[in-house]
Amino acid sequence: MILPIAQVAVDNATIHFDRLYSYRIPQPLDGKVWPGSMVLVPFGRGDKPRMAVVLAVDSCEGEDVPRGLKTLHDATPEQARLTPDLLELVRFLKERTFCTWFEAVRAVIPYGAQYRAAMVDGHPVMQSRLTRSTERVYTLAGELPPKPKPGPRQQAAVEALRQGPLTARQLDEVGISKSTLDTLCQKGVLVVAEQDKALDLFAGIPFDPQPLTLAPEQQRAYDALLPDLEDRSPHAALLHGVTGSGKTIVFLKLIERTLELGRKALVLVPEISLTPQIIRRLKSTFGSRLAVQHSALNNTERLLQWRMIQQGNADIVVGTRSAVFAPLRDIGLIIIDEEQEHTYQSESAPRYDAHDVAKKRAAMENALLVFASATPLTETYHAAESGKYKLLALTQRYGGRPLPRVDFVDMRAELTAGNPREVSNRLVQELRRNLENGEQSILLLNRRGYHTVGMCATCGHVLKCPNCSVPLVYHKPQQALMCHHCGHTVHPLPTLCPECGGKIAYSGFGTQRVEEELAELLPGARILRMDQDSTSQKNAHEKMLAQFARQEYDILLGTQMVAKGLDFEKVTLVGVLGIDSLLFGQGFRAYESVFSLVTQVIGRGGRAQLPGRALIQTAVPNHPVLQLAAAQDYEAFYREEIAFRKFGLYPPFCAFCVVGFVGEQEGAVFIAAQRFSVLLAQFAAKQPNIPLRILGPAPMGIAMLNGKYRYKLTLKCRNDASFRALLQQTLDAYAQEKLPQKASVILDFHSDGDL
């Protein structure tokens, strides 16, 4: 007798014990369990029900079945299992990021489509985490019998359904009640079924396609990309265009052609705040077969959008990083807009880079992958210059508009002149001029809160989070100190030092304080603050940006979410505040990040008929990075940056892997990190063909987070199969020595040097 056996990976496994386990498939589920199925299995000594994913299905002769082999409890329906493409992405994440199997599954499937263990009548079963949002749909199955004589409502229902199936809600809107429909079902005239409730998130956006007219430079870029789009082979390209050069119109033309070819398009953006504008363009141009995937949707909305994609009812998917896993089939085009943004890198397991997943999907689907940015990552531009990607440049603003004029304000001179505020006198003058002219302004300050440091004036003690090694930030509306990492809150606001009893002095500035200063300096100015605090409510980004677009506000003050991708015709002034703290930040990407942020925010101005101007407030106005950003000279910045990267052996000349160690006892964490370093060096010595440099161990930039101490090793390596095998060998040896009990391990590729 041949018995089917499932090889599964279980939920809640550590990286050191994440292996495949065998289970017998019971007779009722024979033929219903496949690779990619979610199943419920008895696990461990107590046989506690645990979720698992099936990675292989084998068969075995009855007498060869191992004694004591357990039988799985339950399996999800066929439509809930991972498709072969999604299962391939799970394998890719597992191999490349060293996450567990189930961490990869959770990344690929949204929460609402996942299942959980439950008990029904004493038996372990699987239940969907969300109750399905369904509605009744009616279909005409026969004609009305002449007797008894049908009423007018029954006749109206039959006539309405001759055009095709309709939902109960649609029939109710034309006056046909549920009782009428029930009667017709009893007579066999109609049949009723349940289907997923339709969810049109964009009902308020009219379908209003306009001719897509390309400027000569845009047309040349489109013509160069078209053969790669049409030949059904994997290709990659970088569209490098100055801010305001009209990259979006090139995207729209490429999507238009993709749909004509009968294929699908995937568009990734770095921030939720950027999705409303791109959604509006896509919906008005291409209609309702558009789906969205991002974290601002609630679980039900995200599930329904995911099912819409899964069922083939979406031609275009737009979203943030996680949308790269959308279950689209036959993808012809993948676009990563503002590809330089760090938000494309996941900061929790699995620590994937959307760039890498997009490359994998383009290879799997034989699709064209387009990276786009005014300030591309140094690695991306190097790959394009080296011929790995096709390089296309848009050097002119759309419509021939000039780039904004940029001036610097020396904040040292402001202080000498007796201005202690964070807003310079020159910036106040320019803002006042814009108010008088009825024009709008955008101000960038990448620090939220009111004061950023509370320090004792007597002994110098800094008020820090007890759980994290960072200063607490004063938030004036709450009259409290808050940790921006773990959420710890101190209320009421301390006034005396806990160490010596001296007076606490608060200093530093964030968006809340600058908002207050602006209100005092510019009475009557309508100021919109956009940061993580003000955008916490659902759809807050979309509502705020719509209000600013309708010119209900004069000044948009915000963190980096206002720096890129936004297009407002009345914005003529951009101000950059507090940039120096980023300029002297940690990590080899510090200069790249500052150049990108300043270049991008300057580009928000002068995008329509009115010319733009920008002011950069800094204590180092002659700093070369700021000067190059002001000149919008990416090529010159790239030449400087690539020389630094080559000299210091940083990406793209090596891969960067940070191995983090986290635990409750600092000494034990350091010892564990040190031992891992020794093990890795020993194994590497036996394979001298694998290039490797080990730096550390050293404390992370935030040495304690959520009450746990954190150390790191920095590995300069070549991220290939040989190195990953070496790393896995070291992880296995680390586990054999029971070191995970002292410190758990976090692996992060593509990091900027910290976690």
Side-chain angles (χ1 to χ4, degrees):
M1 180 182 177
I2 296 178
L3 296 175
I5 306 294
Q7 302 285 328
V8 311
V10 298
D11 187 11
N12 202 27
T14 66
I15 189 173
H16 307 287
F17 301 102
D18 188 39
R19 60 184 180 83
L20 300 188
Y21 297 88
S22 297
Y23 285 88
R24 183 183 300 181
I25 300 173
Q27 180 62 37
L29 295 177
D30 191 7
K32 298 179 181 179
V33 175
W34 305 83
S37 293
M38 298 292 123
V39 294
L40 190 65
V41 299
F43 189 78
R45 291 180 181 175
D47 284 344
K48 187 175 180 179
R50 190 178 291 195
M51 292 295 302
V53 58
V54 177
L55 295 169
V57 175
D58 303 317
S59 57
C60 185
E61 290 288 345
E63 60 270 16
D64 296 330
V65 173
R67 181 176 296 178
L69 187 67
K70 299 176 183 179
T71 301
L72 61 84
H73 292 307
D74 197 7
T76 54
E78 181 177 356
Q79 67 269 20
R81 78 170 189 252
L82 291 168
T83 63
D85 286 351
L86 294 182
L87 191 56
E88 179 65 21
L89 292 179
V90 167
R91 294 182 188 278
F92 178 80
L93 289 176
K94 168 70 174 172
E95 176 197 350
R96 293 301 181 94
T97 71
F98 290 86
C99 66
T100 67
W101 287 107
F102 232 81
E103 285 170 342
V105 168
R106 286 202 187 92
V108 169
I109 302 180
Y111 176 87
Q114 296 171 18
Y115 282 71
R116 60 183 174 86
M119 296 294 290
V120 175
D121 297 329
H123 298 289
V125 296
M126 301 174 72
Q127 286 184 347
S128 174
R129 289 191 176 273
L130 285 184
T131 303
R132 290 180 63 202
S133 295
T134 60
E135 58 186 349
R136 297 186 309 280
V137 60
Y138 292 89
T139 305
L140 189 63
E143 293 298 327
L144 275 168
K147 292 182 181 179
K149 185 178 180 180
R153 294 294 180 198
Q154 293 183 8
Q155 292 174 341
V158 170
E159 290 305 314
L161 289 164
R162 289 194 190 280
Q163 305 303 315
L166 294 171
T167 65
R169 177 177 49 80
Q170 291 169 321
L171 290 164
D172 184 64
E173 287 172 356
V174 295
I176 300 170
S177 66
K178 181 177 182 298
S179 60
T180 300
L181 296 169
D182 288 345
T183 300
L184 291 174
C185 288
Q186 291 170 5
K187 291 181 177 181
V189 178
L190 305 182
V191 292
V192 63
E194 293 283 326
Q195 70 174 19
D196 287 332
K197 188 177 289 183
L199 179 68
D200 188 354
L201 296 176
F202 326 112
I205 304 174
F207 176 52
D208 183 25
Q210 301 294 323
L212 298 173
T213 305
L214 300 183
E217 200 174 42
Q218 294 169 320
Q219 187 68 50
R220 286 193 291 273
Y222 174 75
D223 290 342
L225 290 168
L226 199 56
D228 292 346
L229 181 67
E230 294 180 339
D231 74 351
R232 287 187 174 264
S233 296
H235 297 280
L238 169 62
L239 183 60
H240 177 216
V242 298
T243 55
S245 57
K247 295 183 289 292
T248 302
I249 301 178
V250 179
F251 298 164
L252 295 176
K253 284 291 286 184
L254 289 169
I255 293 170
E256 181 181 65
R257 183 59 184 145
T258 302
L259 301 187
E260 289 172 356
L261 294 169
R263 306 192 77 189
K264 308 292 179 66
L266 175 61
V267 181
L268 301 183
V269 295
E271 300 263 4
I272 294 169
S273 62
L274 299 184
T275 52
Q277 287 195 344
I278 191 69
I279 287 168
R280 186 165 294 276
R281 295 294 298 273
L282 291 169
K283 171 67 188 297
S284 62
T285 304
F286 299 111
S288 60
R289 289 179 63 84
L290 170 70
V292 174
Q293 291 284 278
H294 62 64
S295 59
L297 302 178
N298 64 39
N299 288 327
T300 299
E301 289 171 339
R302 195 165 184 185
L303 172 62
L304 292 175
Q305 290 285 290
W306 191 79
R307 283 183 177 156
M308 175 184 174
I309 302 165
Q310 186 189 43
Q311 293 162 5
N313 296 323
D315 297 324
I316 305 167
V317 173
V318 60
T320 48
R321 178 181 65 227
S322 60
V324 75
F325 300 113
L328 268 179
R329 294 183 179 87
D330 196 17
I331 301 172
L333 175 67
I334 302 174
I335 294 167
I336 302 186
D337 196 15
E338 307 291 358
E339 68 88 27
Q340 80 284 353
E341 286 301 317
H342 70 91
T343 49
Y344 285 122
Q345 173 79 41
S346 172
E347 295 179 351
S348 58
R351 287 176 167 78
Y352 66 91
D353 186 336
H355 292 71
D356 294 335
V357 183
K359 291 175 196 174
K360 174 68 174 177
R361 294 209 77 174
M364 290 165 57
E365 300 279 353
N366 291 315
L368 169 63
L369 170 60
V370 179
F371 301 104
S373 176
T375 55
L377 286 171
T378 302
E379 296 94 312
T380 305
Y381 198 82
H382 182 263
E385 265 208 330
S386 306
K388 293 179 182 177
Y389 306 155
K390 185 176 285 187
L391 178 59
L392 304 156
L394 300 176
T395 60
Q396 302 295 320
R397 278 195 150 192
Y398 189 63
R401 301 181 186 102
L403 287 164
R405 186 189 79 249
V406 183
D407 290 332
F408 288 89
V409 177
D410 190 335
M411 294 305 286
R412 296 169 301 180
E414 286 281 319
L415 198 58
T416 302
N419 177 17
R421 296 188 303 266
E422 317 307 335
V423 182
S424 65
N425 290 321
R426 171 73 187 283
L427 183 55
V428 173
Q429 292 171 8
E430 296 293 340
L431 288 168
R432 189 172 287 124
R433 175 180 153 193
N434 259 29
L435 290 170
E436 292 168 354
N437 293 337
E439 298 168 11
Q440 293 176 295
S441 309
I442 291 178
L443 302 182
L444 167 71
L445 171 59
N446 204 32
R447 285 200 298 270
R448 63 190 179 103
Y450 189 87
H451 286 303
T452 52
V453 177
M455 186 172 70
C456 176
T458 304
C459 72
H461 174 74
V462 175
L463 299 179
K464 288 188 175 182
C465 174
N467 307 315
C468 309
S469 54
V470 295
L472 292 164
V473 177
Y474 170 40
H475 285 247
K476 191 170 184 179
Q478 293 87 359
Q479 284 294 300
L481 295 178
M482 296 174 63
C483 175
H484 288 177
H485 294 275
C486 72
H488 178 79
T489 302
V490 177
H491 182 84
L493 191 69
T495 57
L496 299 178
C497 175
E499 297 293 318
C500 74
K503 186 177 180 181
I504 295 291
Y506 291 93
S507 60
F509 61 100
T511 49
Q512 292 175 3
R513 180 174 172 185
V514 171
E515 179 185 25
E516 189 175 278
E517 280 190 5
L518 291 170
E520 293 174 359
L521 293 164
L522 301 166
R526 299 169 299 172
I527 304 164
L528 178 63
R529 177 169 56 85
M530 195 169 179
D531 55 25
Q532 193 172 330
D533 298 308
S534 65
T535 58
S536 58
Q537 292 186 348
K538 183 174 173 59
N539 297 327
H541 296 88
E542 186 171 358
K543 291 173 183 175
M544 287 183 171
L545 294 176
Q547 289 172 323
F548 192 68
R550 293 193 298 266
Q551 298 170 40
E552 295 175 14
Y553 290 92
D554 306 306
I555 301 170
L556 175 60
L557 165 67
T559 52
Q560 63 179 1
M561 63 178 67
V562 306
K564 48 202 169 283
L566 304 180
D567 194 344
F568 301 107
E569 62 178 22
K570 279 285 189 175
V571 172
T572 57
L573 174 65
V574 170
V576 180
L577 291 73
I579 198 67
D580 295 352
S581 62
L582 298 177
L583 196 58
F584 301 106
Q586 292 184 335
F588 71 90
R589 296 192 191 278
Y591 283 179
E592 180 181 70
S593 299
V594 170
F595 178 86
S596 175
L597 191 60
V598 174
T599 302
Q600 292 284 347
V601 75
I602 288 172
R604 297 314 105 208
R607 298 175 72 91
Q609 301 303 319
L610 299 170
R613 62 201 192 283
L615 283 179
I616 301 175
Q617 296 189 170
T618 174
V620 283
N622 294 320
H623 196 289
V625 173
L626 296 180
Q627 289 290 333
L628 290 171
Q632 303 271 293
D633 193 345
Y634 177 83
E635 281 73 17
F637 169 78
Y638 170 77
R639 288 192 295 272
E640 295 282 338
E641 184 71 8
I642 201 69
F644 157 70
R645 299 281 187 95
K646 190 171 186 178
F647 178 78
L649 190 61
Y650 290 111
F653 300 102
C654 72
F656 223 62
C657 176
V658 173
V659 187
F661 301 86
V662 180
E664 296 180 356
Q665 301 294 326
E666 184 175 12
V669 174
F670 175 78
I671 290 169
Q674 203 168 41
R675 181 57 183 159
F676 189 100
S677 176
V678 169
L679 290 169
L680 179 60
Q682 289 174 349
F683 291 132
K686 299 175 183 177
Q687 302 182 64
N689 59 318
I690 298 179
L692 176 65
R693 291 186 184 179
I694 306 172
L695 307 176
M700 292 190 195
I702 301 176
M704 184 172 71
L705 194 66
N706 286 314
K708 299 287 183 69
Y709 292 94
R710 297 156 24 105
Y711 277 77
K712 66 179 178 180
L713 295 172
T714 302
L715 311 181
K716 292 183 177 181
C717 56
R718 186 171 58 210
N719 185 8
D720 56 14
S722 298
F723 172 72
R724 291 193 294 271
L726 173 65
L727 208 51
Q728 187 61 60
Q729 184 182 18
T730 308
L731 284 167
D732 292 341
Y734 182 86
Q736 287 171 8
E737 295 188 12
K738 301 192 184 309
L739 289 167
Q741 297 172 9
K742 294 183 177 180
S744 57
V745 179
I746 301 168
L747 291 171
D748 189 16
F749 287 90
H750 304 284
S751 173
D752 66 353
D754 213 339
L755 284 168

